[in-house]
Amino acid sequence: MSWLWKRFLDLAKSRMTERLALTSYPIPAGFEQKRAMTGPRSRRSEVTTTSWAVKAPAIRQARAACVEAEGPPHVLNFVINPDHHYDLPFFGADLVSLPGGHLIALDLQPVLKRDASHTAPVWKRLQPVFERWRSRLPDGGPIPQEAEPYFSKGFLWTRLPLDDETSLETTVFPAFVDYLEIYLDLVCEARPVQGDRSDALLAGQRRYTDYRAEKDPARGMLTRFYGSDWTEAYIHGFLFDLESAQTSSQSGLP
């Protein structure tokens, strides 16, 4: 079985290891890997969801959720959650292969979209990269109005035919590398903030993670594979775990 997005995650792990002081991030029991059988009785196949997570100075949690099957779906949901004591955006990559085609989304997602001191330094670096790759990919279509506060002007969103391996190789992969390198530059240059600023960043992060947990597009797929109880626990206890992580920190739990 060959997982379509392995090269992307391997690159991210390699570059983060080279540039950051990574340490392990705890993955709750039962979420490291989950297997199920799917499909009609005549063509049953195995699907596996695997989780990976680390942390680093200025990064509260960097994590990946990887869905692998014998055919579509192939999914990489890769998110870097900044520590709220650093004025950083989120890094978000959704790379999804379904029977109808590939769905690609890359962004450095703002924590405080209306705050120019938060967004301007990011946009200055991201704009030329976004424009370079935007011109080479079809537009993915409109996003819901309620989602707009959680995406930047550099949101790269496209849909590609399932057999378009050339665009994945020559455009999507280098775009992913460019977005990641900009983000790692920002992390390496970030300096701590305190007081009202860190409080505002934490509040913005909570709004983002609450929205993402509520609207997670993978919920239906994961529920079909693993059931509702496991899926909801996975979404809130690992994928978007800011609330539970804050609760554990305040109670002194590891």
Side-chain angles (χ1 to χ4, degrees):
M1 191 185 301
S2 176
W3 184 52
L4 179 63
W5 306 113
K6 182 178 186 300
R7 184 184 178 197
F8 291 74
L9 183 57
D10 285 349
L11 180 281
K13 290 180 178 180
S14 174
R15 293 302 294 145
M16 291 177 70
T17 299
E18 291 170 5
R19 301 196 61 184
L20 305 175
L22 301 181
T23 55
S24 61
Y25 185 92
I27 299 174
F31 296 155
E32 300 94 334
Q33 191 172 80
K34 185 74 170 176
R35 299 179 186 272
M37 299 302 295
T38 186
R41 290 184 179 181
S42 60
R43 291 185 290 109
R44 300 289 282 173
S45 61
E46 186 176 69
V47 60
T48 303
T49 296
T50 305
S51 304
W52 172 86
V54 294
K55 59 184 177 180
I59 293 176
R60 182 188 67 81
Q61 179 212 50
R63 57 85 177 154
C66 313
V67 179
E68 179 181 8
E70 293 179 9
H74 287 260
V75 177
L76 171 60
N77 175 240
F78 179 56
V79 176
I80 303 178
N81 296 277
D83 184 318
H84 70 277
H85 295 101
Y86 293 82
D87 207 329
L88 291 165
F90 295 90
F91 176 92
D94 279 301
L95 309 173
V96 180
S97 177
L98 299 172
H102 304 296
L103 309 179
I104 311 295
L106 296 172
D107 201 7
L108 304 189
Q109 296 171 275
V111 175
L112 303 172
K113 187 168 183 177
R114 292 189 176 90
D115 187 328
S117 66
H118 176 71
T119 58
V122 178
W123 180 238
K124 180 180 179 180
R125 300 187 190 202
L126 188 58
Q127 182 176 12
V129 170
F130 168 73
E131 291 177 351
R132 179 192 313 148
W133 299 117
R134 171 75 282 159
S135 66
R136 303 184 192 185
L137 292 166
D139 182 65
I143 62 173
Q145 185 175 0
E146 64 180 1
E148 290 182 358
Y150 306 104
F151 293 94
S152 79
K153 293 187 292 184
F155 179 41
L156 190 64
W157 159 231
T158 190
R159 302 172 187 262
L160 297 171
L162 199 61
D163 61 356
D164 190 355
E165 296 181 4
T166 299
S167 292
L168 295 183
E169 178 68 23
T170 64
T171 307
V172 176
F173 183 73
F176 176 83
V177 173
D178 282 351
Y179 272 61
L180 180 63
E181 291 296 340
I182 291 173
Y183 191 82
L184 295 180
D185 287 343
L186 292 168
V187 170
C188 291
E189 297 166 12
R191 297 294 178 265
V193 298
Q194 298 178 344
D196 291 345
R197 187 60 177 178
S198 64
D199 291 344
L201 291 166
L202 178 58
Q205 289 182 10
R206 283 175 172 160
R207 287 191 294 270
Y208 169 89
T209 54
D210 287 350
Y211 174 81
R212 290 296 306 273
E214 180 185 355
K215 301 294 185 178
D216 189 350
R219 177 178 268 107
M221 178 186 68
L222 294 175
T223 299
R224 187 170 70 253
F225 294 152
Y226 309 118
S228 178
D229 289 347
W230 185 90
T231 297
E232 293 305 317
Y234 187 62
I235 289 172
H236 295 281
F238 177 66
L239 296 184
F240 305 105
D241 71 342
L242 178 60
E243 182 177 356
S244 60
Q246 287 287 312
T247 300
S248 296
S249 175
Q250 292 168 3
S251 65
L253 296 175

